[in-house]
Amino acid sequence: MIDLRSDTVTKPTEKMRQASYNAEVGDDVYGEDPSVHKLEEKAAELLGKESALFVTSGTQGNQIAVLTHCSPGNEIILEENAHIYMYEGAAISAFAGVQPRTLKGHKGAMDPSEVQATIRPEDIHFPETGLICLENTHNKAGGAVLPFENMKGIYQIAKNHHVPVHLDGARLFNAAVSSGISVGEYAGYTDTVQICLSKGLGAPVGSIIAGSKSFIQQARKWRKRLGGGLRQVGVIAEPGYIALTEMVERLSEDHKHAEVLAEGLANMEGLKVENKVETNIVLINVEDTGHNAESFLTALQKEGVLAVPFGPNTVRFVTHYDVSGQDIDRVIKKVNDAVSSQLTS
Ligand code: TLP
């Protein structure tokens, strides 16, 4: 099977497994795990923030950020397809008690002037705007890189209104490698940022949230409340450290593979590539093949390729560390077989 469902499916490298085995550990709830300290310090340094916190997942990191920034009854502004809104089980409402206010974006980017107009003025009837959330790269927009100027513009508006900005940077390193703008520069236009170690960077588990010292202190308490205080967790922090320090530059290979895949698929009768491929995600519309997303994926699975539905007629492919250039050539051929057999049936 060639698994392009997500970049979350990568297996830890040999070096990561060795680092886990040799990890120096302690009880992290007591703040005594040296491997966790090393990872958090490195992440804070790369992101240009005072402090960082190791959390179990991207979802937990985003939710802890919302819980820490907001109070129940607040409203948060997000792009209408943001992961925090679409794919986190309404946790913002279930846990933080905030209501979402979504804006339609262009390739995942909200218009700064619309953001400004959406921030609530003081009025006894209104919720207070507690947070603005951005996502870079933007998953549902096909791994689109948020323009730096767009992030700057929104941050400036947010500061003028004393509203914090949180960045869901699950794939921020993909954005950095694609644009040449460092993760620290991006994070400079946010108050807090969440990055995933277990997506393109290949670690088996974990994410980081970074922000000011006082924010991370409060976030640590929320992590504990949510049952995310872990003990000898150096065994998973060590692979995370390798992810941050050794796995970033190679993301350009994944981007190249996505480009090759998109080119191969664009030439096939009945398929349309929906996104401009900037990073490691390719979205295709399969409607004109006579399939919908589900039946297309079933046909593809029979050919030995896995992907996921991303809409009734849209299929998402994600390239990652565990797929080679040869695998990509095979996928193009197998998609071609699946499409041709449908068109001739
Ligand atoms: N995204 C997953 C699915 O949940 C859709 C994927 O396969 O892409 N932010 C963004 C932008 C994400 O894409 C994801 C995962 C998360 C947060 C959540 O990370 P985890 O899965 O670690 O909770």
Side-chain angles (χ1 to χ4, degrees):
M1 267 307 167
I2 303 175
D3 192 347
L4 296 172
R5 286 173 301 167
S6 183
D7 45 10
T8 58
V9 302
T10 53
K11 307 280 195 309
T13 64
E14 198 48 46
K15 191 162 179 192
M16 287 178 179
R17 290 170 194 264
Q18 280 301 326
S20 275
Y21 184 78
N22 294 318
E24 264 192 82
V25 296
D27 188 326
D28 187 49
V29 173
Y30 290 117
E32 291 172 2
D33 191 303
S35 302
V36 173
H37 289 171
K38 185 173 80 170
L39 172 64
E40 290 177 342
E41 278 161 24
K42 176 51 86 180
E45 177 198 319
L46 288 172
L47 293 164
K49 297 290 187 203
E50 279 176 1
S51 194
L53 182 70
F54 186 40
V55 295
T56 56
S57 66
T59 302
Q60 190 185 59
N62 285 334
Q63 292 306 322
I64 288 174
V66 175
L67 282 158
T68 309
H69 280 297
C70 298
S71 305
N74 280 177
E75 183 168 79
I76 72 174
I77 300 175
L78 327 94
E79 198 276 333
E80 67 177 0
N81 287 309
H83 193 279
I84 293 175
Y85 175 66
M86 287 281 284
Y87 292 108
E88 297 187 10
I92 52 168
S93 308
F95 300 144
V98 301
Q99 91 178 359
R101 182 95 176 271
T102 58
L103 292 178
K104 191 172 180 56
H106 173 66
K107 293 189 187 165
M110 297 182 285
D111 179 338
S113 59
E114 277 183 47
V115 172
Q116 168 144 311
T118 306
I119 295 173
R120 299 281 194 168
E122 179 48 39
D123 184 308
I124 196 167
H125 301 90
F126 293 162
E128 277 130 23
T129 303
L131 184 64
I132 298 167
C133 294
L134 308 177
E135 185 175 314
N136 197 6
T137 64
H138 195 287
N139 185 355
K140 202 74 170 53
V145 178
L146 283 199
F148 194 48
E149 291 307 315
N150 177 268
M151 283 186 63
K152 267 186 179 172
I154 291 178
Y155 186 69
Q156 202 48 59
I157 288 163
K159 287 304 103 185
N160 294 343
H161 291 82
H162 309 289
V163 177
V165 173
H166 171 69
L167 172 64
D168 176 352
R171 297 186 178 85
L172 188 61
F173 285 95
N174 294 86
V177 165
S178 171
S179 66
I181 295 168
S182 71
V183 291
E185 287 173 276
Y186 280 121
Y189 292 97
T190 69
D191 293 281
T192 57
V193 54
Q194 181 276 118
I195 54 163
C196 286
L197 305 168
S198 66
K199 301 213 161 42
L201 302 183
V205 191
S207 283
I208 293 283
I209 1 177
S212 69
K213 230 179 194 150
S214 66
F215 178 90
I216 293 299
Q217 226 164 18
Q218 292 171 57
R220 194 175 290 280
K221 185 124 189 185
W222 271 114
R223 186 186 69 173
K224 187 74 184 81
R225 285 192 187 103
L226 295 174
L230 301 177
R231 303 296 178 172
Q232 287 71 26
V233 73
V235 290
I236 56 173
E238 280 292 351
Y241 186 83
I242 293 175
L244 276 188
T245 53
E246 297 182 27
M247 300 293 280
V248 173
E249 276 172 27
R250 62 147 308 281
L251 290 174
S252 59
E253 280 174 42
D254 299 344
H255 298 177
K256 183 77 209 148
H257 290 160
E259 226 177 276
V260 171
L261 179 62
E263 268 168 33
L265 300 181
N267 289 330
M268 276 174 219
E269 196 186 340
L271 293 187
K272 281 192 203 89
V273 177
E274 289 186 350
N275 62 321
K276 173 170 172 274
V277 175
E278 294 178 77
T279 56
N280 65 333
I281 298 182
V282 181
L283 303 179
I284 57 164
N285 190 297
V286 298
E287 201 172 3
D288 293 345
T289 62
H291 275 297
N292 58 29
E294 289 296 345
S295 68
F296 182 86
L297 288 167
T298 307
L300 208 54
Q301 188 164 0
K302 285 191 192 130
E303 299 284 341
V305 177
L306 297 176
V308 291
F310 234 42
N313 297 307
T314 302
V315 167
R316 183 188 77 166
F317 296 89
V318 186
T319 57
H320 54 76
Y321 185 66
D322 288 351
V323 286
S324 64
Q326 281 173 345
D327 289 332
I328 295 298
D329 295 341
R330 269 183 233 128
V331 170
I332 294 170
K333 189 177 169 316
K334 284 162 187 285
V335 173
N336 195 31
D337 292 347
V339 170
S340 326
S341 66
Q342 174 74 9
L343 288 173
T344 52
S345 66

